Amino acid sequence: MTLLDTILTVAVPASTTASVPTRLDPVQLFLDADIVVQAVMAGLILASVWVWAIIVSFSIRMARLDRVNRAFETRFWQADDVEPLVRGNEDLPSRRIAAAGIAEWQTSSRRGLKDKASLRERLSGAMDAAVTHESDSLSEKLNFLATVGSVAPFVGLFGTVWGIMNSFFQIGAQSNTSLAVVAPGISEALFATAIGLFAAIPAVIAYNRFSHRVNAFETRLYRFSDRFHASLSRELETL
């Protein structure tokens, strides 16, 4: 064997080995995928971005709301006259709950306090309705997290099934059962499921965590409502 033959024998396998990718490239997997799989991936990526936006914004909102609402309740119970606090423009759940109770009290007072027991029921109903409204307002955005958490894996699975079907179509079109023919397509298809799980897992965790925080906050609002209702009931007894 001549020196030239030896060089060619060594060089050809080396160049072939260098061209083989050594790790997965997510961007290349997306670019090489079928148009349907690409659409699925793009939708899941957008959903994942929106999920993380909700997670960050809701965390900041709940932390601030809990802090300022606690401060308002402290001022409320320490005040000799609560009406100036209630008439303020602070965007706080406890203020609106107290405002609902006072509004019902004033409306009934103008009509005459003929039935104190009925007034107590109306006060309780008005403030409970306000608590429910505040809770629903807080949990409104959480519906998207629940939707992504339950639907995203199946959307990713749809992309995977479509990609695998396309790979089998390529087998039939090329009459070649080699793994090299179907492996790239299967990898791209499975990548869609991976993105679906990437979007769904944080959404489910965040939904469960935030639901617990909203429920705990709602319980605090009910305690505030009950305490204020008891205070109004005591004042009613003196009339």
Side-chain angles (χ1 to χ4, degrees), residues 73-85:
E73 291 182 5
T74 301
R75 298 196 312 271
F76 184 88
W77 296 122
Q78 292 176 349
D80 295 328
D81 184 9
V82 299
E83 287 197 26
L85 287 174

Side-chain angles (χ1 to χ4, degrees), residues 150-233:
S150 60
V151 173
F154 295 101
V155 175
L157 183 61
F158 167 76
T160 297
V161 171
W162 184 274
I164 291 176
M165 288 192 304
N166 187 57
S167 296
F168 280 114
F169 175 79
Q170 295 300 323
I171 290 177
Q174 299 182 23
S175 300
N176 188 349
T177 58
S178 172
L179 185 62
V181 175
V182 296
I186 293 177
S187 297
E188 297 152 11
L190 292 174
F191 188 48
T193 296
I195 296 178
L197 294 175
F198 179 78
I201 292 173
V204 171
I205 295 174
Y207 176 78
N208 292 333
R209 178 58 182 166
F210 290 156
S211 294
H212 174 73
R213 292 187 66 179
V214 170
N215 290 337
F217 190 76
E218 182 182 20
T219 301
R220 288 191 58 243
L221 293 180
Y222 271 119
R223 286 200 298 265
F224 174 81
S225 173
D226 292 341
R227 186 177 176 184
F228 188 46
H229 181 268
S231 178
L232 293 176
S233 296

Side-chain angles (χ1 to χ4, degrees), residues 30-84:
F30 175 81
L31 295 176
D32 293 341
D34 181 79
I35 184 63
V36 175
V37 181
Q38 284 183 343
V40 170
M41 291 180 183
L44 291 173
I45 291 172
L46 291 176
S48 179
V49 171
W50 188 243
V51 162
W52 281 104
I54 292 176
I55 290 173
V56 174
S57 63
F58 194 85
S59 298
I60 296 173
R61 180 187 179 190
M62 283 300 299
R64 175 190 172 278
L65 187 61
D66 187 65
R67 183 180 67 256
V68 297
N69 202 69
R70 285 178 183 271
F72 171 83
E73 291 182 5
T74 301
R75 298 196 312 271
F76 184 88
W77 296 122
Q78 292 176 349
D80 295 328
D81 184 9
V82 299
E83 287 197 26

